[in-house]
PDB file of all heavy atoms in Angstrom:
ATOM      1  N   GLU A   1     -12.402  98.163 -14.808  1.00 97.00           N
ATOM      2  CA  GLU A   1     -11.786  97.405 -15.899  1.00 97.00           C
ATOM      3  C   GLU A   1     -10.770  96.400 -15.356  1.00 97.00           C
ATOM      4  O   GLU A   1     -10.729  95.250 -15.804  1.00 97.00           O
ATOM      5  CB  GLU A   1     -11.108  98.356 -16.888  1.00 97.00           C
ATOM      6  CG  GLU A   1     -12.077  99.158 -17.734  1.00 97.00           C
ATOM      7  CD  GLU A   1     -11.379 100.204 -18.600  1.00 97.00           C
ATOM      8  OE1 GLU A   1     -10.150 100.089 -18.830  1.00 97.00           O
ATOM      9  OE2 GLU A   1     -12.056 101.138 -19.054  1.00 97.00           O
ATOM     10  N   LYS A   2      -9.954  96.831 -14.413  1.00 96.00           N
ATOM     11  CA  LYS A   2      -8.945  95.947 -13.819  1.00 96.00           C
ATOM     12  C   LYS A   2      -9.612  94.785 -13.083  1.00 96.00           C
ATOM     13  O   LYS A   2      -9.170  93.643 -13.183  1.00 96.00           O
ATOM     14  CB  LYS A   2      -8.028  96.710 -12.852  1.00 96.00           C
ATOM     15  CG  LYS A   2      -7.143  97.717 -13.520  1.00 96.00           C
ATOM     16  CD  LYS A   2      -6.083  97.048 -14.367  1.00 96.00           C
ATOM     17  CE  LYS A   2      -5.159  98.083 -14.977  1.00 96.00           C
ATOM     18  NZ  LYS A   2      -4.218  97.479 -15.912  1.00 96.00           N
ATOM     19  N   LEU A   3     -10.672  95.073 -12.345  1.00 96.00           N
ATOM     20  CA  LEU A   3     -11.398  94.022 -11.634  1.00 96.00           C
ATOM     21  C   LEU A   3     -11.998  93.009 -12.605  1.00 96.00           C
ATOM     22  O   LEU A   3     -11.980  91.809 -12.339  1.00 96.00           O
ATOM     23  CB  LEU A   3     -12.504  94.621 -10.766  1.00 96.00           C
ATOM     24  CG  LEU A   3     -12.075  95.153  -9.414  1.00 96.00           C
ATOM     25  CD1 LEU A   3     -13.243  95.869  -8.747  1.00 96.00           C
ATOM     26  CD2 LEU A   3     -11.551  94.061  -8.513  1.00 96.00           C
ATOM     27  N   GLN A   4     -12.505  93.502 -13.726  1.00 97.00           N
ATOM     28  CA  GLN A   4     -13.089  92.604 -14.720  1.00 97.00           C
ATOM     29  C   GLN A   4     -12.026  91.673 -15.278  1.00 97.00           C
ATOM     30  O   GLN A   4     -12.272  90.491 -15.498  1.00 97.00           O
ATOM     31  CB  GLN A   4     -13.757  93.397 -15.851  1.00 97.00           C
ATOM     32  CG  GLN A   4     -14.609  92.537 -16.761  1.00 97.00           C
ATOM     33  CD  GLN A   4     -15.705  91.798 -16.021  1.00 97.00           C
ATOM     34  OE1 GLN A   4     -16.487  92.402 -15.295  1.00 97.00           O
ATOM     35  NE2 GLN A   4     -15.762  90.495 -16.187  1.00 97.00           N
ATOM     36  N   VAL A   5     -10.825  92.195 -15.484  1.00 96.00           N
ATOM     37  CA  VAL A   5      -9.715  91.368 -15.970  1.00 96.00           C
ATOM     38  C   VAL A   5      -9.390  90.276 -14.950  1.00 96.00           C
ATOM     39  O   VAL A   5      -9.209  89.114 -15.304  1.00 96.00           O
ATOM     40  CB  VAL A   5      -8.465  92.241 -16.271  1.00 96.00           C
ATOM     41  CG1 VAL A   5      -7.243  91.363 -16.488  1.00 96.00           C
ATOM     42  CG2 VAL A   5      -8.700  93.138 -17.474  1.00 96.00           C
ATOM     43  N   VAL A   6      -9.342  90.644 -13.672  1.00 95.00           N
ATOM     44  CA  VAL A   6      -9.061  89.671 -12.614  1.00 95.00           C
ATOM     45  C   VAL A   6     -10.146  88.594 -12.579  1.00 95.00           C
ATOM     46  O   VAL A   6      -9.846  87.399 -12.498  1.00 95.00           O
ATOM     47  CB  VAL A   6      -8.933  90.376 -11.241  1.00 95.00           C
ATOM     48  CG1 VAL A   6      -8.895  89.350 -10.117  1.00 95.00           C
ATOM     49  CG2 VAL A   6      -7.691  91.264 -11.202  1.00 95.00           C
ATOM     50  N   ILE A   7     -11.398  89.012 -12.659  1.00 96.00           N
ATOM     51  CA  ILE A   7     -12.516  88.060 -12.659  1.00 96.00           C
ATOM     52  C   ILE A   7     -12.413  87.115 -13.855  1.00 96.00           C
ATOM     53  O   ILE A   7     -12.563  85.902 -13.711  1.00 96.00           O
ATOM     54  CB  ILE A   7     -13.868  88.813 -12.656  1.00 96.00           C
ATOM     55  CG1 ILE A   7     -14.071  89.497 -11.299  1.00 96.00           C
ATOM     56  CG2 ILE A   7     -15.024  87.862 -12.975  1.00 96.00           C
ATOM     57  CD1 ILE A   7     -15.198  90.511 -11.278  1.00 96.00           C
ATOM     58  N   ASN A   8     -12.126  87.668 -15.031  1.00 96.00           N
ATOM     59  CA  ASN A   8     -12.001  86.834 -16.229  1.00 96.00           C
ATOM     60  C   ASN A   8     -10.861  85.839 -16.088  1.00 96.00           C
ATOM     61  O   ASN A   8     -10.997  84.677 -16.479  1.00 96.00           O
ATOM     62  CB  ASN A   8     -11.782  87.708 -17.470  1.00 96.00           C
ATOM     63  CG  ASN A   8     -13.019  88.488 -17.854  1.00 96.00           C
ATOM     64  OD1 ASN A   8     -14.113  88.215 -17.395  1.00 96.00           O
ATOM     65  ND2 ASN A   8     -12.849  89.485 -18.689  1.00 96.00           N
ATOM     66  N   CYS A   9      -9.741  86.279 -15.525  1.00 97.00           N
ATOM     67  CA  CYS A   9      -8.595  85.385 -15.326  1.00 97.00           C
ATOM     68  C   CYS A   9      -8.943  84.249 -14.374  1.00 97.00           C
ATOM     69  O   CYS A   9      -8.555  83.102 -14.599  1.00 97.00           O
ATOM     70  CB  CYS A   9      -7.387  86.165 -14.797  1.00 97.00           C
ATOM     71  SG  CYS A   9      -6.606  87.191 -16.051  1.00 97.00           S
ATOM     72  N   ARG A  10      -9.685  84.548 -13.323  1.00 96.00           N
ATOM     73  CA  ARG A  10     -10.083  83.502 -12.372  1.00 96.00           C
ATOM     74  C   ARG A  10     -11.016  82.502 -13.037  1.00 96.00           C
ATOM     75  O   ARG A  10     -10.918  81.301 -12.795  1.00 96.00           O
ATOM     76  CB  ARG A  10     -10.751  84.108 -11.144  1.00 96.00           C
ATOM     77  CG  ARG A  10      -9.770  84.753 -10.213  1.00 96.00           C
ATOM     78  CD  ARG A  10     -10.453  85.176  -8.933  1.00 96.00           C
ATOM     79  NE  ARG A  10      -9.520  85.785  -8.035  1.00 96.00           N
ATOM     80  CZ  ARG A  10      -8.961  85.160  -7.003  1.00 96.00           C
ATOM     81  NH1 ARG A  10      -9.262  83.917  -6.752  1.00 96.00           N
ATOM     82  NH2 ARG A  10      -8.106  85.783  -6.241  1.00 96.00           N
ATOM     83  N   GLN A  11     -11.929  82.998 -13.885  1.00 97.00           N
ATOM     84  CA  GLN A  11     -12.837  82.091 -14.577  1.00 97.00           C
ATOM     85  C   GLN A  11     -12.072  81.185 -15.525  1.00 97.00           C
ATOM     86  O   GLN A  11     -12.334  79.982 -15.596  1.00 97.00           O
ATOM     87  CB  GLN A  11     -13.902  82.896 -15.344  1.00 97.00           C
ATOM     88  CG  GLN A  11     -14.905  83.557 -14.432  1.00 97.00           C
ATOM     89  CD  GLN A  11     -15.823  84.520 -15.163  1.00 97.00           C
ATOM     90  OE1 GLN A  11     -15.549  84.959 -16.274  1.00 97.00           O
ATOM     91  NE2 GLN A  11     -16.920  84.872 -14.518  1.00 97.00           N
ATOM     92  N   ILE A  12     -11.111  81.748 -16.238  1.00 97.00           N
ATOM     93  CA  ILE A  12     -10.278  80.957 -17.146  1.00 97.00           C
ATOM     94  C   ILE A  12      -9.480  79.937 -16.350  1.00 97.00           C
ATOM     95  O   ILE A  12      -9.365  78.776 -16.741  1.00 97.00           O
ATOM     96  CB  ILE A  12      -9.356  81.875 -17.989  1.00 97.00           C
ATOM     97  CG1 ILE A  12     -10.196  82.671 -18.992  1.00 97.00           C
ATOM     98  CG2 ILE A  12      -8.285  81.058 -18.708  1.00 97.00           C
ATOM     99  CD1 ILE A  12      -9.449  83.796 -19.666  1.00 97.00           C
ATOM    100  N   ASP A  13      -8.936  80.366 -15.220  1.00 97.00           N
ATOM    101  CA  ASP A  13      -8.166  79.473 -14.349  1.00 97.00           C
ATOM    102  C   ASP A  13      -9.031  78.293 -13.891  1.00 97.00           C
ATOM    103  O   ASP A  13      -8.575  77.150 -13.905  1.00 97.00           O
ATOM    104  CB  ASP A  13      -7.663  80.268 -13.141  1.00 97.00           C
ATOM    105  CG  ASP A  13      -6.348  79.754 -12.612  1.00 97.00           C
ATOM    106  OD1 ASP A  13      -5.545  79.233 -13.405  1.00 97.00           O
ATOM    107  OD2 ASP A  13      -6.131  79.868 -11.386  1.00 97.00           O
ATOM    108  N   ASP A  14     -10.268  78.573 -13.508  1.00 97.00           N
ATOM    109  CA  ASP A  14     -11.193  77.512 -13.096  1.00 97.00           C
ATOM    110  C   ASP A  14     -11.444  76.530 -14.241  1.00 97.00           C
ATOM    111  O   ASP A  14     -11.471  75.313 -14.042  1.00 97.00           O
ATOM    112  CB  ASP A  14     -12.525  78.093 -12.617  1.00 97.00           C
ATOM    113  CG  ASP A  14     -12.425  78.774 -11.265  1.00 97.00           C
ATOM    114  OD1 ASP A  14     -11.393  78.596 -10.579  1.00 97.00           O
ATOM    115  OD2 ASP A  14     -13.378  79.497 -10.906  1.00 97.00           O
ATOM    116  N   GLU A  15     -11.633  77.072 -15.451  1.00 97.00           N
ATOM    117  CA  GLU A  15     -11.878  76.220 -16.608  1.00 97.00           C
ATOM    118  C   GLU A  15     -10.660  75.348 -16.897  1.00 97.00           C
ATOM    119  O   GLU A  15     -10.801  74.162 -17.214  1.00 97.00           O
ATOM    120  CB  GLU A  15     -12.223  77.070 -17.830  1.00 97.00           C
ATOM    121  CG  GLU A  15     -13.587  77.728 -17.739  1.00 97.00           C
ATOM    122  CD  GLU A  15     -13.870  78.651 -18.910  1.00 97.00           C
ATOM    123  OE1 GLU A  15     -13.294  78.442 -20.000  1.00 97.00           O
ATOM    124  OE2 GLU A  15     -14.663  79.584 -18.730  1.00 97.00           O
ATOM    125  N   ILE A  16      -9.474  75.919 -16.783  1.00 98.00           N
ATOM    126  CA  ILE A  16      -8.242  75.162 -17.012  1.00 98.00           C
ATOM    127  C   ILE A  16      -8.122  74.034 -15.997  1.00 98.00           C
ATOM    128  O   ILE A  16      -7.760  72.904 -16.352  1.00 98.00           O
ATOM    129  CB  ILE A  16      -7.006  76.089 -16.960  1.00 98.00           C
ATOM    130  CG1 ILE A  16      -6.991  76.992 -18.200  1.00 98.00           C
ATOM    131  CG2 ILE A  16      -5.714  75.279 -16.860  1.00 98.00           C
ATOM    132  CD1 ILE A  16      -5.968  78.103 -18.133  1.00 98.00           C
ATOM    133  N   MET A  17      -8.426  74.319 -14.738  1.00 97.00           N
ATOM    134  CA  MET A  17      -8.331  73.282 -13.696  1.00 97.00           C
ATOM    135  C   MET A  17      -9.324  72.149 -13.954  1.00 97.00           C
ATOM    136  O   MET A  17      -8.999  70.979 -13.775  1.00 97.00           O
ATOM    137  CB  MET A  17      -8.555  73.889 -12.307  1.00 97.00           C
ATOM    138  CG  MET A  17      -7.444  74.827 -11.869  1.00 97.00           C
ATOM    139  SD  MET A  17      -5.792  74.128 -11.999  1.00 97.00           S
ATOM    140  CE  MET A  17      -5.848  72.943 -10.686  1.00 97.00           C
ATOM    141  N   ARG A  18     -10.548  72.497 -14.407  1.00 97.00           N
ATOM    142  CA  ARG A  18     -11.536  71.464 -14.742  1.00 97.00           C
ATOM    143  C   ARG A  18     -11.044  70.621 -15.923  1.00 97.00           C
ATOM    144  O   ARG A  18     -11.160  69.397 -15.929  1.00 97.00           O
ATOM    145  CB  ARG A  18     -12.893  72.092 -15.072  1.00 97.00           C
ATOM    146  CG  ARG A  18     -13.744  72.386 -13.851  1.00 97.00           C
ATOM    147  CD  ARG A  18     -15.186  72.650 -14.212  1.00 97.00           C
ATOM    148  NE  ARG A  18     -15.370  73.838 -15.017  1.00 97.00           N
ATOM    149  CZ  ARG A  18     -15.449  75.075 -14.546  1.00 97.00           C
ATOM    150  NH1 ARG A  18     -15.389  75.293 -13.257  1.00 97.00           N
ATOM    151  NH2 ARG A  18     -15.606  76.091 -15.354  1.00 97.00           N
ATOM    152  N   PHE A  19     -10.499  71.295 -16.928  1.00 98.00           N
ATOM    153  CA  PHE A  19      -9.979  70.612 -18.112  1.00 98.00           C
ATOM    154  C   PHE A  19      -8.829  69.680 -17.716  1.00 98.00           C
ATOM    155  O   PHE A  19      -8.774  68.532 -18.153  1.00 98.00           O
ATOM    156  CB  PHE A  19      -9.515  71.663 -19.130  1.00 98.00           C
ATOM    157  CG  PHE A  19      -9.169  71.097 -20.479  1.00 98.00           C
ATOM    158  CD1 PHE A  19     -10.077  70.319 -21.173  1.00 98.00           C
ATOM    159  CD2 PHE A  19      -7.939  71.379 -21.048  1.00 98.00           C
ATOM    160  CE1 PHE A  19      -9.760  69.805 -22.426  1.00 98.00           C
ATOM    161  CE2 PHE A  19      -7.610  70.865 -22.300  1.00 98.00           C
ATOM    162  CZ  PHE A  19      -8.518  70.081 -22.993  1.00 98.00           C
ATOM    163  N   LYS A  20      -7.938  70.159 -16.864  1.00 98.00           N
ATOM    164  CA  LYS A  20      -6.802  69.359 -16.382  1.00 98.00           C
ATOM    165  C   LYS A  20      -7.314  68.109 -15.656  1.00 98.00           C
ATOM    166  O   LYS A  20      -6.800  67.007 -15.861  1.00 98.00           O
ATOM    167  CB  LYS A  20      -5.944  70.206 -15.460  1.00 98.00           C
ATOM    168  CG  LYS A  20      -4.729  69.497 -14.942  1.00 98.00           C
ATOM    169  CD  LYS A  20      -3.900  70.422 -14.064  1.00 98.00           C
ATOM    170  CE  LYS A  20      -2.725  69.660 -13.498  1.00 98.00           C
ATOM    171  NZ  LYS A  20      -2.554  69.805 -12.096  1.00 98.00           N
ATOM    172  N   TYR A  21      -8.328  68.272 -14.818  1.00 98.00           N
ATOM    173  CA  TYR A  21      -8.921  67.148 -14.091  1.00 98.00           C
ATOM    174  C   TYR A  21      -9.456  66.100 -15.075  1.00 98.00           C
ATOM    175  O   TYR A  21      -9.223  64.898 -14.903  1.00 98.00           O
ATOM    176  CB  TYR A  21     -10.028  67.648 -13.167  1.00 98.00           C
ATOM    177  CG  TYR A  21     -10.814  66.540 -12.514  1.00 98.00           C
ATOM    178  CD1 TYR A  21     -10.302  65.850 -11.426  1.00 98.00           C
ATOM    179  CD2 TYR A  21     -12.071  66.181 -12.988  1.00 98.00           C
ATOM    180  CE1 TYR A  21     -11.017  64.813 -10.827  1.00 98.00           C
ATOM    181  CE2 TYR A  21     -12.791  65.154 -12.405  1.00 98.00           C
ATOM    182  CZ  TYR A  21     -12.265  64.483 -11.327  1.00 98.00           C
ATOM    183  OH  TYR A  21     -12.973  63.461 -10.753  1.00 98.00           O
ATOM    184  N   HIS A  22     -10.180  66.554 -16.111  1.00 97.00           N
ATOM    185  CA  HIS A  22     -10.744  65.623 -17.090  1.00 97.00           C
ATOM    186  C   HIS A  22      -9.640  64.888 -17.844  1.00 97.00           C
ATOM    187  O   HIS A  22      -9.765  63.686 -18.108  1.00 97.00           O
ATOM    188  CB  HIS A  22     -11.676  66.360 -18.065  1.00 97.00           C
ATOM    189  CG  HIS A  22     -12.976  66.748 -17.462  1.00 97.00           C
ATOM    190  ND1 HIS A  22     -13.928  65.833 -17.065  1.00 97.00           N
ATOM    191  CD2 HIS A  22     -13.486  67.964 -17.162  1.00 97.00           C
ATOM    192  CE1 HIS A  22     -14.966  66.460 -16.543  1.00 97.00           C
ATOM    193  NE2 HIS A  22     -14.725  67.759 -16.585  1.00 97.00           N
ATOM    194  N   ILE A  23      -8.575  65.593 -18.173  1.00 97.00           N
ATOM    195  CA  ILE A  23      -7.448  64.955 -18.852  1.00 97.00           C
ATOM    196  C   ILE A  23      -6.817  63.900 -17.948  1.00 97.00           C
ATOM    197  O   ILE A  23      -6.521  62.785 -18.392  1.00 97.00           O
ATOM    198  CB  ILE A  23      -6.389  66.007 -19.280  1.00 97.00           C
ATOM    199  CG1 ILE A  23      -6.952  66.876 -20.405  1.00 97.00           C
ATOM    200  CG2 ILE A  23      -5.093  65.330 -19.709  1.00 97.00           C
ATOM    201  CD1 ILE A  23      -6.091  68.068 -20.746  1.00 97.00           C
ATOM    202  N   GLU A  24      -6.631  64.232 -16.675  1.00 97.00           N
ATOM    203  CA  GLU A  24      -6.045  63.272 -15.734  1.00 97.00           C
ATOM    204  C   GLU A  24      -6.934  62.045 -15.573  1.00 97.00           C
ATOM    205  O   GLU A  24      -6.441  60.909 -15.520  1.00 97.00           O
ATOM    206  CB  GLU A  24      -5.796  63.941 -14.384  1.00 97.00           C
ATOM    207  CG  GLU A  24      -4.646  64.932 -14.423  1.00 97.00           C
ATOM    208  CD  GLU A  24      -4.525  65.777 -13.163  1.00 97.00           C
ATOM    209  OE1 GLU A  24      -5.446  65.761 -12.325  1.00 97.00           O
ATOM    210  OE2 GLU A  24      -3.509  66.476 -13.040  1.00 97.00           O
ATOM    211  N   MET A  25      -8.241  62.245 -15.502  1.00 97.00           N
ATOM    212  CA  MET A  25      -9.167  61.110 -15.372  1.00 97.00           C
ATOM    213  C   MET A  25      -9.120  60.240 -16.626  1.00 97.00           C
ATOM    214  O   MET A  25      -9.105  59.011 -16.545  1.00 97.00           O
ATOM    215  CB  MET A  25     -10.609  61.595 -15.137  1.00 97.00           C
ATOM    216  CG  MET A  25     -10.849  62.186 -13.766  1.00 97.00           C
ATOM    217  SD  MET A  25     -10.576  61.011 -12.424  1.00 97.00           S
ATOM    218  CE  MET A  25      -8.999  61.548 -11.815  1.00 97.00           C
ATOM    219  N   PHE A  26      -9.083  60.872 -17.792  1.00 97.00           N
ATOM    220  CA  PHE A  26      -8.996  60.141 -19.050  1.00 97.00           C
ATOM    221  C   PHE A  26      -7.705  59.331 -19.090  1.00 97.00           C
ATOM    222  O   PHE A  26      -7.702  58.163 -19.477  1.00 97.00           O
ATOM    223  CB  PHE A  26      -9.056  61.116 -20.236  1.00 97.00           C
ATOM    224  CG  PHE A  26      -8.934  60.440 -21.569  1.00 97.00           C
ATOM    225  CD1 PHE A  26     -10.008  59.766 -22.119  1.00 97.00           C
ATOM    226  CD2 PHE A  26      -7.737  60.475 -22.268  1.00 97.00           C
ATOM    227  CE1 PHE A  26      -9.896  59.130 -23.350  1.00 97.00           C
ATOM    228  CE2 PHE A  26      -7.608  59.842 -23.495  1.00 97.00           C
ATOM    229  CZ  PHE A  26      -8.693  59.170 -24.037  1.00 97.00           C
TER     230      PHE A  26
END
């Protein structure tokens, strides 16, 4: 369960970084 939480957090972090990149490009 703890590992799944860590994995989910990393996926969310990746999505946030992609979103941030798109905002910066815009």
Side-chain angles (χ1 to χ4, degrees):
E1 288 174 19
K2 293 291 183 186
L3 278 173
Q4 191 58 53
V5 168
V6 170
I7 290 167
N8 289 345
C9 286
R10 285 187 180 260
Q11 289 171 342
I12 290 168
D13 211 31
D14 288 347
E15 290 176 26
I16 289 170
M17 292 308 289
R18 276 195 296 277
F19 190 54
K20 182 178 177 229
Y21 172 78
H22 286 293
I23 291 171
E24 289 170 349
M25 288 298 104
F26 178 77

